Amino acid sequence: LIFIISLFLGTTITISSNHWVMAWTGLEINTLAILPLISKSHHPRAVEAATKYFLVQATASTLVLFSSMTNAWYTGQWDITQLTHSTSSLILTAAISMKLGLAPFHFWFPEVLQGSPLTTGLLLSTVMKFPPITLLFMTSQSLNPSLLTILAILSVAMGGWMGLNQTQTRKIMAFSSIAHLGWMTIILIYHPKLTLLNFYLYAMMTAAVFLTLNSMKVLKLSTLMTAWTKAPSLSTILLLTLLSLAGLPPLTGFLPKWLIIQELTKQDMAPAAMIISLLSLLGLFFYLRLAYCATITLPPHTTNHMKQWHTNKPINPSIAVLTTLSIMLLPISPMLAT
């Protein structure tokens, strides 16, 4: 309970601060609060994940502090929105992309997610991304557009390609997170509110997927193949949630992609929009494979396995609410477009 409270405390401190040192303090509280949650199981892999996470986040925090101090040295103030010095904005971009796990600083994220339990994995890929994204949001007017576009395209590409041959669900979710962060980064300068909208919808869909996987106790694809006997309705809904994460049209996940592509075309960045749209097809492939393993592997098929018992345990209402939202929110798009 203490760790969860300090997690939300750190997040709140960062998103409500105006001074760089306060933002940094919030990020530090966040990092220290999530570490025990990662290494809770005392498995060597969990401890290794916590160590990797600590080292990366400490480096990134140091860089945040360094960039803000450089900026304060040159301009004489510590206001987050006034990050005017070009070198410090470059250092900040590197630091925040390390914090978020944007390519080319993404290598720690799948490893850490693989070492932590599913609920902690959910926290890592949603709550822990929020403070760095708000920092980017606040400094968005002074960042370098071409650098962010390159980082974004790289992230979508790496998230797609490296997720293709994964069999562990947590690693697949990690690469999906990297790809989604690419979409958020590419639009950050031109329409920062879209970045936040994309983040909220992504967090909602990811929460739905993680909680579903957690309730079925699925850690790898082979377990997912036999999980349909346990909760058939949940598996069927998981299919739709995964397709929504992939961004297919009648579902919620299409909304941010549509708005982002529209905005990029307005900004004469049609080639970039085309490249990331094509690269997100790679992501669609592994979501489809997850969906296939969850629902379309019904008998008769050739693999021998023990059937699991059908559970009559009631499904957590939060899963119901989140999956419904992550499937059916597309009709709110006119409200957002205005």
Side-chain angles (χ1 to χ4, degrees), residues 180 205 243-248 251-258 326:
H180 275 273
M205 296 185 289
L243 293 182
S244 180
L245 255 181
L248 289 188
L251 306 164
T252 310
F254 179 59
L255 174 61
K257 286 194 168 39
W258 171 31
S326 53

Side-chain angles (χ1 to χ4, degrees), residues 130-195:
F130 189 44
I133 283 184
T134 48
L135 287 181
L136 276 184
F137 178 80
M138 287 190 277
T139 55
S140 60
Q141 73 285 348
S142 54
L143 299 174
N144 181 345
S146 46
L147 174 68
L148 280 184
T149 310
I150 291 167
L151 287 180
I153 291 176
L154 254 178
S155 296
V156 181
M158 296 312 277
W161 267 314
M162 295 176 74
L164 285 181
N165 61 352
Q166 300 296 335
T167 56
Q168 303 282 340
T169 46
R170 286 169 293 187
K171 277 199 174 170
I172 293 180
M173 292 311 291
F175 287 118
S176 118
S177 175
I178 293 167
H180 275 273
L181 282 169
W183 280 88
M184 290 172 219
T185 316
I186 200 162
I187 200 63
L188 181 75
I189 290 180
Y190 310 106
H191 202 313
K193 288 206 171 77
L194 261 185
T195 299

Side-chain angles (χ1 to χ4, degrees), residues 1-8 33 37:
L1 187 66
I2 290 176
F3 294 134
I4 299 283
I5 290 172
S6 37
L7 242 173
F8 285 101
L37 297 178

